Amino acid sequence: MEILFYQRNRFIRDELREFLDELAGRPHFAETIDAAITILNTRPIDAAFIEIQDFTDIGLLKYINQYHLSLKTVLVVENEFEKAISVIRKGDYGLLKCPFGLRDIKDYLTQEIL
């Protein structure tokens, strides 16, 4: 299972790698939209966790909706940004609120993908 994480928090990467190794998952990390698109176009990604911090991040969702419709996508949002989600509700997304734990990621992966 190959998973894209579009997020800017470098501190959790090692923990995510270890955690996903137990689930036979392979994480791919991107801090920019261009890097995320490159990963999507070169890897068989099964799921994507997309951190939404501002409206520029929605460009990645637009790309996913246009070229990767079957991709399981989970939006990671701050509470105040959750209100803006209604703008992009036309897509099929899970929703993960900050702060979140590894258990929350596992729940999405095991229920939504497997």
Side-chain angles (χ1 to χ4, degrees):
M1 176 180 349
E2 301 215 19
I3 304 155
L4 169 65
F5 288 93
Y6 170 72
Q7 47 90 23
R8 294 164 188 92
N9 185 351
R10 293 181 180 191
F11 299 109
I12 64 170
R13 290 184 181 182
D14 289 336
E15 192 172 353
L16 280 170
R17 278 188 187 99
E18 182 178 322
F19 173 73
L20 290 171
D21 189 45
E22 295 174 10
L23 296 174
R26 175 185 252 166
H28 302 276
F29 299 99
E31 292 181 30
T32 66
I33 292 173
D34 289 339
I37 289 172
T38 297
I39 292 168
L40 287 168
N41 290 336
T42 59
R43 302 284 185 181
I45 300 298
D46 300 300
F49 288 81
I50 308 297
E51 179 182 47
I52 303 294
Q53 288 188 350
D54 56 46
F55 283 102
T56 59
D57 297 327
I58 294 174
L60 179 56
L61 294 177
K62 182 178 178 181
Y63 184 84
I64 289 170
N65 286 338
Q66 188 170 0
Y67 298 106
H68 299 277
L69 289 173
S70 63
L71 181 66
K72 297 291 183 182
T73 305
V74 178
L75 304 181
V76 179
V77 298
E78 297 287 339
N79 285 335
E80 61 271 3
F81 200 78
E82 184 180 357
K83 295 174 187 172
I85 296 300
S86 62
V87 174
I88 54 174
R89 270 290 191 212
K90 292 184 180 181
D92 182 23
Y93 311 110
L95 187 62
L96 193 59
K97 295 181 186 178
C98 291
F100 64 94
L102 297 176
R103 179 70 175 184
D104 299 313
I105 292 173
K106 181 179 180 182
D107 289 345
Y108 268 104
L109 293 175
T110 56
Q111 292 174 9
E112 297 294 328
I113 295 175
L114 302 177

